[in-house]
Structures are given as structure tokens and as C-alpha cells.
Amino acid sequence: TFSGPARVDLELNCGTLDLQAGTVTTSLQGWSLDARHRDAAPIVTSSGTALSVRSPESTARRQEWTLFVPGPQVSSIGIIANAASALVDVTGAQLASLALQLNAGDARILATDATIGALAVQGNATRVRLAVTSGSVRLQMNASAVDLCAASGSSPYATGSCSSSTSRAAAATACPSASTVSRGCTPASSGYASSRRRQNAWMVFTRSWSSAR
């Protein structure tokens, strides 16, 4: 169990990540991680104010992580995902920062009704689907696609740079800005529904961690 506002750092090389830190986790007393891997397990370190999960350097084999953290106890989240798919659910959360760095993968970020001081997404050869209600998004994208979905009546805005990239909000094809935000779409109708990939052929080991006592 975290003893104070905590930072969560995740670094995954090849695989899938399902991070739940939104309203569904408000009643949790501590964090829990389920990891499926073929050989070496992920490296997990934790304290009262921090949690870190990293792919082991000794292997490049695919891993699958499902992580639940109690949203009210988390202040910031940092994610690095290489050759990976990530689902990040921070619906209704209050965060100082959320940063995602994605390379050769795809990500879905559910941040509706969330208050995030600094939301930044950096991608290379990726697709990012982002559902937000308000606030700002800092984007740095290269050879990537961005789908930005905002709730009806909201006023989010995006800033940043796109190189050989496309952003899609309705029919928009330019780098996201206030004029390229599609309003009135919902996470379910826009492809933001929870998605977990299962490939049992490589899933040999299953290991779980938990901070609950």
C-alpha cells in the first residue's frame, strides 16, 4: 500500500500493458500486478511512494502485464513502451502528470473526467487513441497517427509537432489543435473499449505481485 502520493514508472519492451488507475480502482487498498512471460520475470521495485516495473534486460521475449493501482493514491505516471500495445485507463483520476513514450506500437488512453496537470505523448511509428474531457495534451509524433476524442461540450486542446504523421478527429488530417477535436464521440463508439490481447502460445509463466497485506 502506498503511504503517500506515489509515482508509477513502467518500461515494457515487447508485449502488452493493461494499466488500470481510474475510477474502478478507487476502493483498492494496494497495487497488484499480473505478468505473463516466457523466461525472465519483469523487475519490480516499490516503496511507500513509488512503483517501478521494467522489462528484464536479459531477454527480449514478449511479456503481458496487467497492473491495478489505487487511483487516489497515485500522483504521476510515466510509461515507456517499445514494440508494445498499451491500454491506459485513468478515467476520473487526478494526476500531476501522465507521460507516455511509445515506439513501434499502439496505445489507448482513457482519460475522460480526469484532471491531469501535464499530459504528454511522444510517439514514433505508432498509433495513439486518446479520449479526454478537458485540459491540454502535448504531442510529439513521428510517422504516427493520433485519434483524439473529446466529450460533447468540452474544450481540450493539443499542441506539439507532427512529422510524417496524421491526426484523426472526425475528418481532420493535420496535427491536433482546437479545430481538429471531434466532440460528442464516446470511448465505446470510437474504439476505446478495453482490449486485451492473448497469445497463449508464448505464455509459459504467470507471476503476481501485490502490495496488499
Side-chain angles (χ1 to χ4, degrees):
T1 303
F2 295 125
S3 59
R7 176 172 179 83
V8 176
D9 288 296
L10 309 173
E11 184 173 349
L12 174 62
N13 296 319
C14 188
T16 61
L17 166 66
D18 183 347
L19 172 61
Q20 297 292 323
T23 53
V24 297
T25 68
T26 55
S27 62
L28 295 181
Q29 298 301 310
W31 58 267
S32 65
L33 169 67
D34 288 333
R36 298 187 179 190
H37 51 95
R38 187 167 180 176
D39 44 24
I43 301 170
V44 180
T45 57
S46 66
S47 68
T49 57
L51 171 64
S52 171
V53 184
R54 296 185 293 110
S55 292
E57 296 181 358
S58 59
T59 180
R61 293 188 181 274
R62 180 183 176 91
Q63 299 198 352
E64 183 177 90
W65 301 349
T66 301
L67 175 62
F68 285 82
V69 295
Q73 300 178 24
V74 176
S75 63
S76 58
I77 299 173
I79 300 172
I80 299 175
N82 300 306
S85 296
L87 170 63
V88 181
D89 188 345
V90 291
T91 304
Q94 295 187 3
L95 300 171
S97 64
L98 170 59
L100 172 64
Q101 182 178 331
L102 190 66
N103 181 56
D106 63 89
R108 297 180 182 183
I109 304 175
L110 306 181
T112 52
D113 298 321
T115 300
I116 304 174
L119 174 55
V121 180
Q122 180 179 349
N124 180 55
T126 66
R127 181 184 180 185
V128 175
R129 284 164 281 186
L130 175 62
V132 296
T133 301
S134 62
S136 63
V137 184
R138 174 67 182 176
L139 297 173
Q140 290 182 291
M141 312 299 292
N142 176 59
S144 301
V146 177
D147 298 337
L148 181 59
C149 175
S152 178
S154 62
S155 57
Y157 62 92
T159 61
S161 60
C162 297
S163 175
S164 301
S165 305
T166 62
S167 65
R168 184 164 60 85
T173 57
C175 195
S177 66
S179 61
T180 62
V181 174
S182 175
R183 292 175 174 78
C185 51
T186 62
S189 66
S190 303
Y192 291 95
S194 175
S195 174
R196 298 180 178 84
R197 296 184 180 181
R198 303 296 185 190
Q199 297 191 16
N200 293 321
W202 57 263
M203 294 176 186
V204 179
F205 301 112
T206 299
R207 185 168 301 186
S208 298
W209 294 259
S210 176
S211 65
R213 295 290 185 267

